[in-house]
Amino acid sequence: MTSDKNTDTGQEAADLARRTRDDVLGRVEERLRSLLAAERDVWAGVHERAAVPVDALAELIASGGKRIRPAFCATGYLAAGGDPHDPGIVSACAALEMLHVSALVHDDVLDDSSRRRGAPTVHAAHTQLHESRGWQGEARRYGEGVAILVGDLALVYAETLMAEAPRSVVPEWNRLRSEVMIGQYMDVHAAAEFSANPRISRLIARIKSGRYTIHRPLVVGANAAGRDDLAAAFEEFGEAVGEAFQLRDDLLDAFGDSADTGKPTGLDLTQHKMTLLLGWAMQRDERIHSLITEPGHTPDEVRRRLVATGVPGDVEKHIGGLVERGCKAIADAPVAEAWREDLADMAVRVAYRNT
Amino acid sequence: MTSDKNTDTGQEAADLARRTRDDVLGRVEERLRSLLAAERDVWAGVHERAAVPVDALAELIASGGKRIRPAFCATGYLAAGGDPHDPGIVSACAALEMLHVSALVHDDVLDDSSRRRGAPTVHAAHTQLHESRGWQGEARRYGEGVAILVGDLALVYAETLMAEAPRSVVPEWNRLRSEVMIGQYMDVHAAAEFSANPRISRLIARIKSGRYTIHRPLVVGANAAGRDDLAAAFEEFGEAVGEAFQLRDDLLDAFGDSADTGKPTGLDLTQHKMTLLLGWAMQRDERIHSLITEPGHTPDEVRRRLVATGVPGDVEKHIGGLVERGCKAIADAPVAEAWREDLADMAVRVAYRNT
């Protein structure tokens, strides 16, 4: 009887935790929308054209996305005992999403990607507009230039939002953003060099994806709640689950369905991204290098070859181990049982997602 | 005798004011260097390659620049009675310069400019590196991608610095940055359309140059000192002198010497920048449009034609009027005499600079 009651109570606590987080995340959506609506008003008052970059961001925000970073930030905050009614945490979560939007817009230029969240990317849309109007100058430079500025504007709005959060988040926020930029640089550099080096691939995945997506958002949340004693557990959890997140990303890019992901698949291969998946596969089968770099080979040829190395199966096994490591890291953390369970659920969701 | 003594005292006060500002600006240079040195250490510890984007910024900072925005911010702060020993103002001034570095790096991609401060631009240097190494992928996309990330990193460091300034600067800082991005968007859009519209040209010059360079840095400084009563006078001064600054920029681009400016001249013309200079000239002589947009015409042909319209002389006259308007705006501002004099001197210097 007692154990049944405990289970019921545990279930109730878990439901309450989830509802509390959903409520915060609902207000994050409102904050994103209200900021962009206010900016739209200001700029449309200056000149209708001045609102175009704001509209580009509003469309990207409205077109979906998984909101993984706000979810981890809100979870870190609530697990740390933060007040769910404090507007500061809503702004912090919104800032993380806005930073992500900035990174996506710039990343799509870096990768020359044509679609994002089921719609044309910012640079593709504006390149096309330039062409259709027969404007002066080079259409590509125009489209990519607009995307640079739209991404910059999102970075500015991310800061505007984070300035509303408690000051205790500043050091972690500083680390998070410089890591994203440096990690991205290392990523494009490794793609240009394109020599298999799993150590570098893991380093890049850790810096530009894992920390940015899971570890640091959790710590930003905990710090917003005034708790820095959770940093070590959140780091251990975030490093493991973050790597699992990135490996799933690699697999989805190579083998996923673009109808699910809303972006082109196989882009890592055409852009020579030196993912861990590819790094391991190239170490086992050196012909993969030429299949990717030399013309005349289809993505399907590369995929068949990748499967033949056995690496995708090994990556799946590695993901399983990382999720286990993440769950263990959080098992003894000084947070309520409901949040430990919830973080374990989140680890599974990000590691086994299909979009 | 009395008037002589007053003059002496006035001179002493002016000298002291200038020395105090120079001292603040000296510490701004140190803060820029110390931030980048600390970041270099962190990233070189992760991987030697990870320090490359930081080094790119350090080189740009070390290669000179006029430091106009820090100078106006420090002046606004000291004129408002701020404590010259407060490290917060040093960080605010450094943040403005770092934002400017970010804008320059991205702007050079937008304009496809090859040189900056006497050295290759970031994207040109990395495009060239890619070519010389024979790396994978497109050299242009690599070079421009690196420049996007280096500019993003500078924007992040600008925020890191501004987070050390008094919180009272936040609203003005938010306006300043979004204005830069939106103003730049309007600028590339006008260049693409390339139809003479002096009203739009003035709007763009006001948003992306004047406010960003003079008006808002002055107000950021005053707000850092806790004074918001100076906003109106600084706005009036900044709008006028800012427009003079931008008009001088237009003239220097069209007729200046690249040995002085450290960047290519004539770039506005080849990039179809719809400057006020050009907008006015095109209204007087419609053949200028085809001289610029159709192939086979030399920059010198365009320059001769511009001169023939008489517009450069009118622009000079307009600059004179703007400087006068700026000086008048500051004449009755509630700040010490020495600072009013100094601001008038600064107005003349930015309006009649040759770099």
Side-chain angles (χ1 to χ4, degrees), chain A residues 6-153:
Chain A
N6 273 350
T7 314
D8 283 359
T9 319
Q11 192 53 49
E12 276 168 32
D15 289 348
L16 179 63
R18 210 163 290 142
R19 276 202 308 276
T20 310
R21 182 181 54 219
D22 286 350
D23 178 60
V24 170
L25 294 176
R27 284 184 287 136
V28 170
E29 296 302 308
E30 279 167 35
R31 185 70 195 95
L32 289 166
R33 273 196 297 269
S34 69
L35 174 84
L36 293 174
E39 283 290 308
R40 197 201 191 284
D41 282 352
V42 167
W43 288 109
V46 172
H47 194 285
E48 191 50 41
R49 189 185 297 165
V52 168
V54 183
D55 291 341
L57 294 177
E59 279 163 32
L60 248 170
I61 296 271
S63 67
K66 299 180 285 290
R67 307 291 197 262
I68 293 181
R69 292 148 198 91
F72 276 107
C73 182
T75 304
Y77 177 80
L78 294 170
D83 171 8
H85 302 293
D86 187 332
I89 189 60
V90 172
S91 297
C93 292
L96 284 164
E97 187 61 21
M98 198 60 97
L99 172 68
H100 186 54
V101 165
S102 169
L104 293 180
V105 173
H106 283 178
D107 204 26
D108 286 338
V109 176
L110 268 51
D111 294 345
D112 193 21
S113 183
S114 58
R115 297 187 78 74
R116 170 69 68 183
R117 296 180 177 170
T121 52
V122 174
H123 74 278
H126 286 268
T127 299
Q128 214 268 311
L129 179 72
H130 189 286
E131 280 164 357
S132 70
R133 298 281 168 92
W135 280 338
Q136 296 296 325
E138 189 200 25
R140 169 179 168 181
R141 191 163 301 281
Y142 178 79
E144 293 179 4
V146 171
I148 291 174
L149 296 168
V150 168
D152 287 349
L153 187 66

Side-chain angles (χ1 to χ4, degrees), chain A:
Chain A
M1 289 297 281
T2 320
S3 92
D4 263 17
K5 206 183 155 203
N6 273 350
T7 314
D8 283 359
T9 319
Q11 192 53 49
E12 276 168 32
D15 289 348
L16 179 63
R18 210 163 290 142
R19 276 202 308 276
T20 310
R21 182 181 54 219
D22 286 350
D23 178 60
V24 170
L25 294 176
R27 284 184 287 136
V28 170
E29 296 302 308
E30 279 167 35
R31 185 70 195 95
L32 289 166
R33 273 196 297 269
S34 69
L35 174 84
L36 293 174
E39 283 290 308
R40 197 201 191 284
D41 282 352
V42 167
W43 288 109
V46 172
H47 194 285
E48 191 50 41
R49 189 185 297 165
V52 168
V54 183
D55 291 341
L57 294 177
E59 279 163 32
L60 248 170
I61 296 271
S63 67
K66 299 180 285 290
R67 307 291 197 262
I68 293 181
R69 292 148 198 91
F72 276 107
C73 182
T75 304
Y77 177 80
L78 294 170
D83 171 8
H85 302 293
D86 187 332
I89 189 60
V90 172
S91 297
C93 292
L96 284 164
E97 187 61 21
M98 198 60 97
L99 172 68
H100 186 54
V101 165
S102 169
L104 293 180
V105 173
H106 283 178
D107 204 26
D108 286 338
V109 176
L110 268 51
D111 294 345
D112 193 21
S113 183
S114 58
R115 297 187 78 74
R116 170 69 68 183
R117 296 180 177 170
T121 52
V122 174
H123 74 278
H126 286 268
T127 299
Q128 214 268 311
L129 179 72
H130 189 286
E131 280 164 357
S132 70
R133 298 281 168 92
W135 280 338
Q136 296 296 325
E138 189 200 25
R140 169 179 168 181
R141 191 163 301 281
Y142 178 79
E144 293 179 4
V146 171
I148 291 174
L149 296 168
V150 168
D152 287 349
L153 187 66
L155 196 46
V156 166
Y157 290 152
E159 303 295 342
T160 300
L161 289 162
M162 199 54 99
E164 299 165 1
R167 296 287 75 201
S168 51
V169 305
V170 169
E172 194 71 7
W173 174 239
N174 284 343
R175 277 187 285 270
L176 183 155
R177 289 165 306 157
S178 50
E179 266 171 5
V180 175
M181 306 315 168
I182 303 258
Q184 288 272 69
Y185 165 74
M186 294 191 68
D187 197 34
V188 297
H189 187 281
E193 278 200 327
F194 204 61
S195 61
N197 186 337
R199 199 181 65 83
I200 287 268
S201 294
R202 283 189 86 166
L203 178 65
I204 292 171
R206 195 156 70 234
I207 297 175
K208 78 158 220 174
S209 295
R211 288 193 193 154
Y212 160 61
T213 305
I214 302 179
H215 162 200
R216 302 239 185 256
L218 278 170
V219 176
V220 165
N223 290 356
R227 291 272 299 273
D228 41 24
D229 61 308
L230 293 171
F234 282 171
E235 174 170 359
E236 174 77 15
F237 173 88
E239 294 272 318
V241 183
E243 187 173 353
F245 169 85
Q246 181 55 46
L247 288 170
R248 177 62 57 203
D249 222 51
D250 297 351
L251 288 172
L252 284 170
D253 182 85
F255 303 104
D257 184 339
S258 94
D260 288 331
T261 62
K263 56 189 178 184
T265 52
L267 206 63
D268 286 349
L269 304 177
T270 55
Q271 292 293 320
H272 313 107
K273 279 293 152 76
M274 191 35 80
T275 61
L276 190 53
L277 170 72
L278 211 52
W280 278 341
M282 279 164 61
Q283 281 191 324
R284 288 195 202 166
D285 179 351
E286 59 188 23
R287 284 162 303 178
I288 290 176
H289 187 284
S290 48
L291 275 182
I292 290 177
T293 57
E294 287 165 14
H297 302 285
T298 66
D300 277 336
E301 273 183 87
V302 181
R303 280 190 199 102
R304 274 200 301 277
R305 203 96 203 177
L306 279 176
V307 172
T309 62
V311 166
D314 290 350
V315 167
E316 282 292 356
K317 221 186 299 175
H318 191 54
I319 289 176
L322 288 164
V323 170
E324 208 182 307
R325 212 185 94 202
C327 293
K328 210 182 267 173
I330 214 70
D332 298 321
V335 302
E337 166 81 24
W339 289 114
R340 291 200 297 268
E341 297 273 327
D342 197 75
L343 281 164
D345 287 350
M346 288 175 83
V348 173
R349 275 205 302 278
V350 300
Y352 295 98
R353 72 194 193 281
N354 69 347
T355 64

